[in-house]
Amino acid sequence: MEGNPVTIRFLDPPLHEFVPQTEEDIKKLADAQGKSVETIKAIIESLKEFNPMMGHRGCRLAVTYPEIAKMQTRAVMEAAIEVKQEKGYDIVPEIMIPLVGEKKELAYVKEVVVQTAEKVKAYYESDIKYKVGTMIEIPRAALLADEIAKEADFFCFGTNDLTQMTFGFSRDDAGKFLDAYYDAKIFENDPFAKLDQNGVGKLMDMAVKLGKGQRPELHCGICGEHGGDPSSVEFCHRIGLDYVSCSPFR
C-alpha cells in the first residue's frame, strides 16, 4: 500500500462460519487437534445460534476470547513493522473493532490490542504508529457516539448491519417480502442497496456530530453496499464523512 492508510477490520462473522462442515474436513480437524470426531462435532454444534447475525460475533468474540484479538493484533503489527523495515514505507495500520455498542466494550478490546501491539513494538524495537477505531453499525453506538469517540481514533459506518438493525429486517431474509412493499409503494427502493437517509441516515448524521463534538479530528467513513450507490455517497459527503469503502465490483 506504500504509505496509504490501511484499515483492517477484526473478525466479524459468527464463529460457526469458520468451522468445517463436511465429514472429511471435520476428520482432518479432529486429527490435527488430537481429538475425536465426536468431540469436534459437539463443539461445532455448540457454536450454532438461532440468530447468528445478532449473536456471538464482532467484538463479542474478542471479549469472550481475547486471544483472538491478540493473535490478530500481533499479525497486523508484525506485518506492518516487517514491511516498514524491508521497504521503508511509512505505514500506520488502522485496527477496526466491529459491532461495538458500548464504550466499555471498545475500551476492553482496545486494551488487549494496545498491550499486544506495544509488546510487538518493543520486541522489534520499532516506533511505528497505529490507530484503533470502531465500526458504528449498532443503533446504540450511533446514539452514544460521543461516549464511544472517547475510545476511538476513527469511525466507520457499517451500513449493512446498521440498516438491518434499524429496520429490524434480516438482510438475508427481507427479499421474501420487500417486493410487496414496493408494490404497495411503502418503499421506493431496497434499503440495503440505497441508504435510507431519513432513518438510518439520521443516526449516521447524529453519530458524526456527536463523535466530532467529542473529538474534532475524528476520521469517519462508510463501509457497506451503500458505499457503491451514488446518491448514498452524496449523502455521506453532505453529513461530513471523509471516505467511502465499497466492494471492488461496485
Side-chain angles (χ1 to χ4, degrees):
M1 295 297 287
E2 296 192 39
N4 287 310
V6 179
T7 305
I8 297 101
R9 172 168 63 171
F10 272 14
L11 286 179
D12 188 28
L15 278 180
H16 76 271
E17 292 191 16
F18 293 97
V19 292
Q21 304 298 329
T22 66
E23 288 290 334
E24 185 188 350
D25 287 341
I26 290 170
K27 171 105 175 58
K28 273 188 199 162
L29 180 59
D31 292 344
Q33 292 291 318
K35 292 183 164 67
S36 71
V37 168
E38 284 66 36
T39 302
I40 296 294
K41 280 185 174 175
I43 293 169
I44 290 170
E45 193 57 37
S46 74
L47 294 175
K48 287 185 178 160
E49 297 176 282
F50 286 110
N51 194 347
M53 293 316 286
M54 294 177 79
H56 194 186
R57 56 175 284 228
C59 63
R60 298 160 196 168
L61 293 178
V63 171
T64 45
Y65 302 111
E67 61 270 28
I68 293 179
K70 285 179 189 170
M71 171 267 295
Q72 290 192 277
T73 304
R74 220 182 86 201
V76 168
M77 295 304 293
E78 285 181 359
I81 290 168
E82 284 170 16
V83 169
K84 187 173 183 178
Q85 287 174 347
E86 287 169 25
K87 306 279 189 185
Y89 299 151
D90 184 25
I91 292 177
V92 182
E94 299 181 359
I95 290 170
M96 186 159 74
I97 312 298
L99 219 72
V100 162
E102 159 63 46
K103 176 191 162 193
K104 290 182 200 163
E105 212 173 18
L106 178 57
Y108 180 91
V109 179
K110 183 181 174 183
E111 190 175 351
V112 173
V113 169
V114 169
Q115 283 180 0
T116 308
E118 292 303 322
K119 275 186 196 159
V120 173
K121 281 175 63 174
Y123 177 80
Y124 280 85
E125 297 178 344
S126 168
D127 63 350
I128 195 168
K129 303 260 191 306
Y130 60 95
K131 294 178 180 177
V132 183
T134 189
M135 301 280 286
I136 302 288
E137 49 192 338
I138 289 182
R140 190 177 193 274
L143 296 168
L144 298 176
D146 50 342
E147 287 291 301
I148 290 171
K150 291 174 186 171
E151 296 288 343
D153 294 322
F154 60 90
F155 282 173
C156 188
F157 290 94
T159 54
N160 297 343
D161 266 317
L162 189 58
T163 298
Q164 176 165 253
M165 295 195 199
T166 303
F167 275 101
F169 290 160
S170 160
R171 188 175 166 217
D172 299 317
D173 302 313
K176 292 172 187 168
F177 57 80
L178 281 180
D179 279 344
Y181 275 63
Y182 308 140
D183 293 343
K185 301 286 189 288
I186 296 170
F187 286 172
E188 298 293 323
N189 304 292
D190 176 358
F192 293 106
K194 198 178 278 283
L195 186 71
D196 161 44
Q197 298 181 13
N198 291 341
V200 177
K202 196 172 192 177
L203 284 171
M204 292 170 68
D205 187 30
M206 182 189 304
V208 172
K209 288 188 171 85
L210 289 170
K212 293 202 175 194
Q214 182 66 45
R215 191 184 283 234
E217 75 285 6
L218 189 76
H219 204 232
C220 297
I222 170 184
C223 153
E225 286 303 305
H226 303 103
D229 171 61
S231 65
S232 304
V233 173
E234 190 183 347
F235 173 79
C236 292
H237 177 66
R238 231 172 30 244
I239 64 169
L241 298 198
D242 301 294
Y243 69 93
V244 297
S245 162
C246 71
S247 59
F249 86 105
R250 300 286 310 258

